[in-house]
Amino acid sequence: MPSPPQTRNRSRGGGLGLSALVRRRLGIGLLQVLGVTLVTFCVVAVVPGDPAAANLGQTALGDPTIVRAFDHEYGLDRPLVVQYGLYVWHLLHGNLGQSQLTQRSVATDLAQYFPATLELALAAIVVASVLGVALGTVAAFFHNRLPDRLVRFFSLAGISVPNFWLGLIVFYLFFYKLRWLPGTGRLSPELNPPPTVTGMYTVDSLLAGNWTDLADSLRHLVLPAAVLGTYTLSLITRFSRVSVLDVLGQEYVLAAVGKGLPTRTVVLRHVLRPALLQIVTIAGLAFGSLLSGAVLVEQVFSWPGLGQYAYRSATSLNLPGVTGVCILIAVVYIFVNLAADIVYVLIDPRLASQ
Amino acid sequence: MSASAGGTAAALVDDGASPGVGAGAGAGSGRTLLGTLRRPGALFGTGVLLGWLLVAALAPLLAPASPTAPSAGTLLAPSAAHWFGTDELGRDVLSRVIYGARLSLPLALLLVALASTVGTSIGAFAGFAGGVIDSVVMRVTDMFFAFPGIVLTMAFAAALGPSLQSAVLAIVIVSWPPYARVVRGLVLAMRGSNYVAVSRLLGGSNARLLVRDVLPNVVGPVLVVATLDIGSAVLLLAGLSFLGLGAQPPAAEWGAMVADATQYFSNWWMGLFPGLAIATIVFAVNMIGDALRDYFDPRSLQRSDR
């Protein structure tokens, strides 16, 4: 077969492959979300006690017509299967239940707390990815020499240290002892938060041109984001190192070095590009763990995000709150991984046809 | 890890730091299992882990004071009498750290045993059954990967009441999927192999095939995942106890001790030592896991599965 048509065929196949891949992944993703709702439904269903009592306030509970209307609304007078159907129906309409903690809908609560956690997780993942790839690459180039050994030790330590403990140590050192950085909250109490656009203080203060708020919210972000990102940074470092080592042994890299290309070109074009494939996947997987890891870190730094909300909900038996956080994190995790898969194919179109 | 990713932790860690697998370098003495475990890293890890197991076993002999009863003034800094100081109730921190090993280590091992049994069974079943059953089971497994470990565990703890039992149950529920995925991939690959076909021709029943021919080949990779999983289990348990959803006071549990310390953070010794205990165990286990992975190299197996 002559080669030009073959090339064209392959690239067309790649394009088709991408949309098929997205459709298939989307299907799996939706199934996953459904599964998560099934489990959260079961969690709520096994709880002994009266769901009406758990969901309605004291005054509403005194009124039999409201209780009956609630039972009917959620199908509590009907079989479990119907109840689950109604549960999903409500979820689809954005109704995650009522929070007794705040006397508002869980959806409203999540909308309030999510941006804080997202801001924390984004700061952590961005720093962890950039630094992790750099450290991993350096370690691979110095394979089995001192820089490599140091990176290996610290990245293993980074995945072994409990983040709530690291948070406490960092809090003690940089806030209590050295007084370099603020230790709790998102903004100093004397400042007014910027007008809400995204709910992320750094972005919002930037949009509003409020430099005082921007500097202050960035300073508040440093400690919790560093602690939250330590695990991810170590993970991405370990991955990048192995990926780059794999690539360094390939003949085309030797060839590139052999024909006298500058090191920078070889690293950027021949080594990092293929290594990035794996790193994109791992960063996607790690993002989900960042969101749930935030639960512990937020606790240490009194960061008013999803984790604190989930914690306060769990300890006050506000189950719709906890399950709402579960569903939200699962949905984010699934879609981040979908995005990672798509980026994967964009970096290497050959993978779409597999 | 952050005690959070739960089940995904093993899957994530699992592709980490084996030096130069594809680069054809650094294989060194790691040709035999014993040789692998004799490498400095693995040796160090094994030593630390054995040390902690010994501490757990001999806790009553080693601890200078009671782990739950006050033995001196409150919030005393480390001294010759109390090496790790005392906490807000006057309990000896060193004794509490020592007794903490009795809680964390057996529970972590129990967790891993449960999760690996459940995961291996499900994975072997899916791989052996093949076809529609396999895809359905694996989709369900995928679904569990999406669960936010610690948040789901919090939901369980809230629903069942905060206790170690509900924490253990919840952690098992979120941590079996990596085993299922690895085992299913292996079984699927083996099903098509010649020796299994020969065994079948010789009249071996499905049960015999599974137990005699397939499972022995699965042990190695499962061991790797399980070793790394011990670390995640220790971290998750400590994390839940840190939140007050695991071990209940006055139990000497490391995560709970760190939680107490956040209330008295100026007394650094209260939090430093229990956290170091967690970190050293997880670090040691991860070193052993890395070495074992270099030996069994399930990396390639996992990749071909995707």
Side-chain angles (χ1 to χ4, degrees), chain A residues 32 35 47 156-157 159-160 163-165 172 176 231 238-239 241-242 245-246 282 285 289 292-293 310-311 314 317 333, chain B residues 1-2 4-5 12 15-17 20 22 142-143 150 154 158-159 242-243 265-266 268 271-272 275 283 286-287 290 299:
Chain A
Q32 286 182 316
V47 175
L156 193 65
I159 60 167
S160 307
N163 65 5
F164 54 92
W165 175 70
Y172 176 84
Y176 178 72
Y231 177 77
R238 282 159 60 92
F239 255 87
R241 179 178 164 277
V242 175
L245 273 180
D246 274 349
I282 199 65
L285 280 172
S289 73
S292 47
Y311 171 73
L317 266 184
Y333 172 87
Chain B
M1 77 157 303
S2 56
S4 53
L12 289 175
D15 262 351
D142 282 346
M143 185 191 98
I150 201 146
M154 282 167 73
F242 172 79
L243 292 173
F265 59 82
S266 55
W268 53 268
L272 179 70
F283 189 85
N286 283 340
M287 289 204 104
D290 274 357
R299 229 164 66 89

Side-chain angles (χ1 to χ4, degrees), chain A residues 120-140:
Chain A
L120 197 58
L122 282 178
I125 195 96
V126 168
V127 175
S129 306
V130 174
L131 212 59
V133 172
L135 284 175
T137 309
V138 169

Side-chain angles (χ1 to χ4, degrees), chain A residues 253-312:
Chain A
V253 174
L254 294 179
V257 176
K259 73 184 175 190
L261 287 180
T263 315
R264 206 169 56 103
T265 316
V266 177
V267 171
L268 290 181
R269 212 169 283 158
H270 297 86
V271 176
L272 274 186
R273 202 174 163 206
L276 272 180
L277 278 178
Q278 308 226 337
I279 296 160
V280 167
T281 314
I282 199 65
L285 280 172
F287 194 72
S289 73
L290 266 182
L291 287 181
S292 47
V295 174
L296 296 160
V297 176
E298 286 179 4
Q299 203 59 25
V300 177
F301 292 100
S302 308
W303 189 265
L306 274 189
Q308 285 243 311
Y309 177 69
Y311 171 73
R312 281 191 294 134

